[in-house]
Amino acid sequence: MLPGKVPLLESCLSSLPAELINALSLLNLPICSEAPVSGYFLSCENNGLVLNTEKGEKIQPVLSKPAGFTGKQPLLRALAPARGGIVIDATAGLAGDSLKLALIANRVIAIERNPVVFALLVSALSLARSSALSGIEKIEAKYGDAIELIKQLPATDVIFMDPMFPPKRKRSALPPKSVRVLREIVGDDRDDEKLLRVARQHALRRVVVKRPLHSPPLANDHVALHEGKVVRYEVYLPTGKSL
């Protein structure tokens, strides 16, 4: 089964929360009556979705309060203008960064274009709402391509991007399981430069791009770099705006 055609177990349609069922109806995922012999598939446990991999691994994204998230964090310094405003997370993934954004912004629009990842994203948000996780009520998930959706949304203070990291050229330890599986499903983002151009045309104050330390900047005209231990945050001004 190709990652882009991951089926959903039919039994989930009668056991998941209505919020999640409504989101799944947008995705046109294949439905299977029983677990496939091989390949990826989605099942459900504890009112949420579980991604089952070809290797028999089970992944159920669960959001939790970010640990040690203080004003000294490079992400917070990069996102300073977002305090109290509206932020678009243009590459939401499983909403780990969206939750951090929600701790400082009034509203976060989390966009994800891969149907399987979006299903897992909505599942994680649903589980977090049921546990009253702080900040989760500020996150609104939208399914679609951010390059097109950003053009349809009102201009926002800050647009955040976390495109799939380019792999290291030298051999290194395997990334965490969830990141590795996401790469298998999504692949590399080959239109990240186009997304950056669109984001800069619609952000009011800045665009922040998350990148690994080992990779070159996404563009050469960033106005600030905020580095952490393994990633950095590149700050770009909107098109036509200067310091």
Side-chain angles (χ1 to χ4, degrees):
M1 183 67 67
L2 294 174
K5 300 292 184 181
V6 176
L8 171 71
L9 280 181
E10 186 176 19
S11 57
C12 293
L13 297 176
S14 59
S15 60
L16 291 172
E19 173 190 18
L20 192 45
I21 294 295
N22 291 337
L24 290 172
S25 68
L26 302 173
L27 306 179
N28 295 317
L29 294 174
I31 305 297
C32 58
S33 58
E34 57 185 32
V37 175
S38 62
Y40 293 79
F41 68 95
L42 290 166
S43 61
C44 48
E45 294 178 13
N46 303 318
N47 290 321
L49 288 174
V50 177
L51 177 63
N52 300 263
T53 75
E54 293 180 313
K55 298 178 180 179
E57 301 163 309
K58 290 179 176 287
I59 297 175
Q60 184 175 44
V62 176
L63 293 170
S64 58
K65 181 180 178 180
F69 197 56
T70 67
K72 295 182 179 180
Q73 291 280 338
L75 174 58
L76 281 179
R77 296 199 302 272
L79 290 168
R83 291 186 180 277
I86 300 175
V87 181
I88 290 176
D89 184 350
T91 51
L94 299 178
D97 286 320
S98 295
L99 182 57
K100 294 177 182 178
L101 300 176
L103 295 179
I104 61 171
N106 279 345
R107 182 186 176 202
V108 177
I109 302 171
I111 300 174
E112 177 53 51
R113 65 181 174 182
N114 182 278
V116 176
V117 178
F118 182 78
L120 294 170
L121 162 65
V122 175
S123 174
L125 293 176
S126 177
L127 291 172
R129 289 191 183 97
S130 67
S131 63
L133 182 63
S134 177
I136 203 69
E137 72 283 354
K138 300 179 184 179
I139 302 175
E140 175 188 1
K142 285 188 175 291
Y143 174 60
D145 190 335
I147 291 174
E148 298 304 322
L149 284 181
I150 286 174
K151 300 173 185 177
Q152 301 169 22
L153 294 169
T156 55
D157 299 290
V158 176
I159 297 178
F160 176 80
M161 294 173 48
D162 179 16
M164 187 63 71
F165 287 174
K168 290 184 178 180
R169 295 187 180 277
K170 62 182 181 180
R171 183 176 298 176
S172 61
L174 286 174
K177 179 172 66 175
S178 59
V179 176
R180 174 173 54 80
V181 172
L182 279 183
R183 178 179 290 281
E184 292 173 2
I185 293 175
V186 176
D188 292 333
D189 285 320
R190 300 186 182 278
D191 54 0
D192 47 4
E193 293 181 3
K194 182 177 181 181
L195 176 57
L196 176 59
R197 289 195 298 271
V198 171
R200 296 180 72 175
Q201 292 167 0
H202 291 269
L204 295 174
R205 304 188 69 178
R206 64 176 54 180
V207 177
V208 176
V209 181
K210 181 179 178 180
R211 298 278 283 176
L213 286 178
H214 66 79
S215 67
L218 191 53
N220 294 323
D221 58 342
H222 48 78
V223 295
L225 296 175
H226 299 278
E227 294 188 349
K229 293 182 179 179
V230 295
V231 300
R232 70 169 178 271
Y233 299 93
E234 303 166 4
V235 177
Y236 298 90
L237 294 179
T239 301
K241 188 173 182 179
S242 59
L243 289 173

